[in-house]
């Protein structure tokens, strides 16, 4: 709209410089990002993904007990209700932390992905169950030392 007004007054000749320079800068930045992502080797991406071991999806501090688990991308997804993801963890310590933070139900069910863990980022089918057992045992040891689960 403003462009048409300036053009009707005859004050706009050629390319309007400030918007054009912003546009060119944004295009250059996008190209730079694409070049940098291509330069990152596969090994570096794998190393970065290895360091990502935990993600909390339920940020409120409320009691939201974990009732269901599934193997996913080399880690364990923990759900409170079907479709309600609470956390994802790749180490026993982080599994124990999620259980300590949100609580655990008396019965925790596992999906069939736990039985076929090699299809979900684990080396062997048993690895997901082993990972979960180590994390859950750490949580139970913490509960035993404190004396109670949730107040």
């Amino acid at each position: 709209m403003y462009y048409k007004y300036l053009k009707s007054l005859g004050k706009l000749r050629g390319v309007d410089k400030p918007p054009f320079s912003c546009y060119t800068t944004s295009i250059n930045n996008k190209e730079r990002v694409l070049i940098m992502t291509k330069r990152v080797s596969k090994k570096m991406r794998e190393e970065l993904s290895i360091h990502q071991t935990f993600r909390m999806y339920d940020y409120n501090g409320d009691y939201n007990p974990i009732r269901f688990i599934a193997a996913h991308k080399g880690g364990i997804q923990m759900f409170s209700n079907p479709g309600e993801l609470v956390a994802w963890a790749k180490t026993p310590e982080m599994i124990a932390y999620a259980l300590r933070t949100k609580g655990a139900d008396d019965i925790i069910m596992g999906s069939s992905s736990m039985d076929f863990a090699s299809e979900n980022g684990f080396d062997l089918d048993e690895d997901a169950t082993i990972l979960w057992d180590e994390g859950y045992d750490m949580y139970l040891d913490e509960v035993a030392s404190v004396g109670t689960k949730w107040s």
Side-chain angles (χ1 to χ4, degrees), residues 57-151:
Y57 291 91
D58 184 12
Y59 290 107
N60 64 10
D62 298 339
Y63 176 72
N64 194 9
I66 294 167
R67 295 183 174 102
F68 185 76
I69 58 172
H72 181 70
K73 292 187 179 180
I76 305 292
Q77 286 181 324
M78 293 164 267
F79 298 88
S80 62
N81 292 314
E84 196 175 312
L85 184 61
V86 174
W88 173 85
K90 208 171 186 176
T91 63
E93 294 82 15
M94 292 297 106
I95 291 171
Y97 172 77
L99 289 165
R100 183 174 61 244
T101 305
K102 292 298 171 182
D105 200 23
D106 293 333
I107 298 173
I108 299 174
M109 303 297 288
S111 99
S112 62
S113 65
M114 295 293 288
D115 297 326
F116 302 103
S118 61
E119 298 173 6
N120 292 292
F122 288 91
D123 292 334
L124 302 172
D125 285 339
E126 305 86 35
D127 289 347
T129 306
I130 292 169
L131 175 64
W132 172 255
D133 289 340
E134 289 175 3
Y136 191 69
D137 288 342
M138 288 176 73
Y139 167 70
L140 291 178
D141 291 343
E142 291 172 7
V143 167
S145 66
V146 173
T148 183
K149 290 184 181 180
W150 271 80
S151 55

Side-chain angles (χ1 to χ4, degrees), residues 20-63:
F20 181 72
S21 64
C22 289
Y23 173 75
T24 339
T25 304
S26 70
I27 294 297
N28 288 342
N29 287 342
K30 287 178 185 177
E31 289 175 359
R32 212 173 286 135
V33 168
L34 286 174
I35 290 169
M36 291 304 290
T37 54
K38 287 179 183 175
R39 285 185 186 171
V40 175
S41 69
K42 182 179 178 184
K43 183 177 180 183
M44 288 177 73
R45 280 187 297 239
E46 288 173 359
E47 288 175 3
L48 288 173
S49 68
I50 289 170
H51 296 296
Q52 297 172 351
T53 60
F54 184 72
R55 173 80 195 250
M56 183 68 82
Y57 291 91
D58 184 12
Y59 290 107
N60 64 10
D62 298 339
Y63 176 72

